Each structure stands twice: as C-alpha cells, then as structure tokens.
C-alpha cells in the first residue's frame, strides 16, 4: 500500500484536531462568544477549555509521530479511531436526546 494513502487518515485528523482547539483554547473568552455565542465568565471554565486544547494537541502530535515512525502507526491509528468514535458517539447521543425530549412536546 502506498505510504501516503496509508497515512492519509492520520494526516487529516492531525491537521483538523491541531487547528480546531487553537481557535478556542488560547483565548476562550474572546473567541467562544464570536463562534458559539457562549460567554466564558470564570477562570475554571477557561482552564477547562485550555485543558481540552492540550489533550487535542497531544493526540495530534502522536498521530504525526505515527506517520513519521512506522512502529507507532498501529497505535496512532487505534487512538485516532477511539478519538473520532468518541466525537461521533457524543454527537449522536446528543441528537438522540434532543429527539427524545422533543417528542414529549407533541
């Protein structure tokens, strides 16, 4: 298998997952109200967003290591699957809970 195609999922994931938290992690009280209409009032909430940013960046760095070092490729791919699966599960569970709550209003 071509090495570029083999590593494509890790490269795309690392790019998106590295870039996204930089938008809200460094200065959440300025960026989040612009993007999500969500105000960050206290220090604890800022620290939570910065901690999430750190986790996302750590995963992205590991996926780049998986691209560059073949002995890490399998574990990097597994963490990518678990990470993306967790995001998908969170989105699906949220949409299912919204649909169940809306049914009571019919």
């Amino acid at each position: 298998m071509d090495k570029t195609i083999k590593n494509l999922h890790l490269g795309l994931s690392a790019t998106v997952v590295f870039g996204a938290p930089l938008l809200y992690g460094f200065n959440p009280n300025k960026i989040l109200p612009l993007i999500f209409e969500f105000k960050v009032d206290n220090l604890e909430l800022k620290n939570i967003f910065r901690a999430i940013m750190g986790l996302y960046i750590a995963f992205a760095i590991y996926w780049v290591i998986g691209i560059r070092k073949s002995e890490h490729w399998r574990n990097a791919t597994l963490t990518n699957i678990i990470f993306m699966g967790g995001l998908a599960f969170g989105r699906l569970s949220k949409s299912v809970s919204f649909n169940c709550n809306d049914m009571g209003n019919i």
Side-chain angles (χ1 to χ4, degrees), residues 3 7 10-12 14 62-70 73 76:
K3 191 173 185 175
N7 294 326
L10 291 175
L12 289 172
Y62 186 62
W63 297 335
V64 171
I65 291 171
I67 292 170
R68 301 200 51 139
K69 298 186 178 208
S70 60
W73 183 86

Side-chain angles (χ1 to χ4, degrees), residues 34-61:
L34 295 174
I35 297 174
F36 299 113
E37 299 176 2
F38 179 82
K39 191 172 180 182
V40 180
D41 293 343
N42 55 22
L43 182 62
E44 290 83 12
L45 196 53
K46 289 178 192 175
N47 288 338
I48 289 170
F49 280 108
R50 289 182 179 138
I52 293 170
M53 177 189 70
L55 289 171
Y56 277 35
I57 290 172
F59 271 111
I61 290 170

